[in-house]
């Protein structure tokens, strides 16, 4: 009779990931909560910025969906406060492109952006892509620990750092430095940089970059690519307004090219 209760001792079930949905529009919030629960996530909701901070601290969610326009504290303020405390992935829900520009301009450290109205399939694809990335990071860390055990073998496999002007990209160490000082790049921006470095001179469309770097199963929002290119340029380009390395190919996408 108690199989359901005792089952846990036979195999350890994977803990459901917790998602915090911060949205003041009741219908949208409840729809999102129901839909994400039916995808197998544990979901908690908050209807304003203050409640969002309280839930974040009480529930320690694995990911946060954060509306920008909120009563009490705005999503922008909430994002800033949470980012100062935690690297938890944050997807901002924005009402229009102009809001994305504002949010990007503030460099809040959100991981992704979705513009309303969005499809639920696209949203879950993005959520799963972020969780897969986290799992990969954990796997890479585990491999690094193993490699350290056989330091000689690891040493031989370490790729040399790549120079991009005054910027040095340490592929093995997942580090970027500029004039010897560490540059803080978000994980996805680093992956985008590494992907482009590995394919110099090759032009990629935004969709191709989404597929290769983000791993979206569906046509994601190409705006995300622009946002990350914007961040990369700010860090690696001597003059972000006149890029020397990471070029826009009008009407096509982006290409990484050495200035010579
Ligand atoms: Ca709102």
């Amino acid at each position: 009779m108690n199989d359901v209760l005792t089952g846990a001792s036979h195999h350890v079930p994977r803990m459901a990931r917790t998602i915090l949905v911060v949205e003041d529009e009741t219908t949208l919030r409840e729809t999102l909560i129901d839909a994400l629960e039916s995808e197998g996530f544990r979901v908690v909701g908050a209807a304003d910025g203050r409640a969002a901070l309280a839930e974040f601290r009480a529930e320690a969610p694995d990911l946060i969906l954060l509306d920008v326009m909120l009563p009490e504290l705005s999503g922008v303020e909430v994002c800033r406060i949470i980012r100062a405390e935690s690297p938890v992935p944050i997807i901002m829900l924005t009402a229009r492109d102009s809001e994305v520009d504002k949010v990007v301009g503030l460099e809040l450290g959100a991981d992704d952006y979705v513009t309303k109205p969005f499809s639920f399939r696209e949203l879950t694809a993005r959520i799963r892509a972020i969780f897969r990335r986290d799992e990969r990071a954990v796997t890479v860390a585990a491999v690094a620990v193993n490699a350290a055990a056989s330091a000689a073998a690891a040493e031989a496999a370490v790729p040399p750092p790549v120079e991009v002007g005054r910027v040095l990209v340490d592929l093995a160490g997942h580090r970027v430095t500029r004039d010897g000082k560490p540059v803080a790049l978000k994980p996805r921006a680093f992956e985008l940089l590494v992907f482009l470095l590995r394919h110099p001179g090759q032009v990629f469309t935004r969709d191709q970059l989404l597929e290769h770097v983000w791993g979206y199963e569906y046509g994601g929002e190409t705006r995300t690519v622009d946002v990350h290119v914007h961040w990369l340029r700010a860090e690696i380009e001597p003059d972000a307004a006149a890029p020397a390395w990471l070029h826009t190919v009008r009407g096509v996408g982006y290409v990484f090219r050495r200035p010579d």
Side-chain angles (χ1 to χ4, degrees):
M1 283 306 255
N2 278 347
D3 275 2
V4 173
L5 294 174
T6 57
S9 63
H10 299 302
H11 66 101
V12 180
R14 221 192 124 89
M15 285 253 290
R17 306 261 201 173
T18 299
I19 298 176
L20 169 57
V21 175
V22 186
E23 170 61 65
D24 58 320
E25 290 161 53
T26 308
T27 310
L28 178 55
R29 184 179 66 250
E30 284 173 357
T31 305
L32 281 172
I33 290 174
D34 285 349
L36 289 168
E37 278 176 349
S38 70
E39 292 283 311
F41 297 111
R42 182 176 165 268
V43 190
V44 287
D48 65 61
R50 270 181 218 291
L53 289 179
E55 291 295 334
F56 159 70
R57 286 168 186 146
E59 300 287 342
D62 299 293
L63 184 141
I64 301 174
L65 296 182
L66 181 56
D67 184 30
V68 172
M69 297 294 283
L70 288 171
E72 299 288 328
L73 285 170
S74 77
V76 167
E77 288 165 292
V78 171
C79 186
R80 193 175 278 141
I81 292 166
I82 290 177
R83 196 40 92 233
E85 295 179 22
S86 159
V88 61
I90 300 174
I91 299 178
M92 305 290 285
L93 308 179
T94 61
R96 46 183 190 276
D97 278 354
S98 60
E99 243 176 52
V100 176
D101 291 335
K102 187 177 133 211
V103 168
V104 170
L106 292 169
E107 302 193 349
L108 293 171
D111 292 73
D112 209 344
Y113 305 85
V114 176
T115 308
K116 297 175 190 175
F118 50 82
S119 83
F120 184 68
R121 291 181 82 183
E122 185 194 323
L123 180 66
T124 50
R126 292 195 188 205
I127 290 171
R128 292 193 191 285
I130 285 178
F131 283 152
R132 272 199 306 274
R133 177 194 79 195
D134 286 357
E135 275 162 21
R136 262 205 318 271
V138 169
T139 309
V140 168
V143 169
V145 168
N146 287 337
S150 54
E155 197 84 16
V158 167
V162 179
E163 258 185 80
V164 181
R166 291 152 59 197
V167 174
L168 205 61
V169 184
D170 175 1
L171 298 171
H174 258 69
R175 266 189 316 247
V176 178
T177 52
R178 181 184 185 126
D179 297 331
K181 293 189 195 99
V183 168
L185 277 184
K186 298 197 61 60
R188 190 70 76 180
F190 181 83
E191 283 172 34
L192 176 62
L193 176 61
V194 170
F195 180 80
L196 291 168
L197 282 175
R198 288 194 169 137
H199 303 88
Q202 199 175 332
V203 179
F204 291 98
T205 66
R206 291 168 176 83
D207 281 330
Q208 286 171 327
L209 291 172
L210 276 176
E211 198 184 314
H212 287 290
V213 180
W214 277 258
Y216 288 162
E217 289 145 36
Y218 309 103
E221 205 178 315
T222 54
R223 176 81 213 178
T224 300
V225 176
D226 300 332
V227 166
H228 283 74
V229 166
H230 169 92
W231 285 335
L232 270 185
R233 281 180 176 153
E235 298 299 345
I236 71 165
E237 293 284 355
D239 177 4
W245 302 82
L246 186 40
H247 301 271
T248 303
V249 181
R250 207 165 285 281
V252 186
Y254 295 104
V255 60
F256 184 87
R257 221 178 257 134
R258 299 204 161 263
D260 39 75

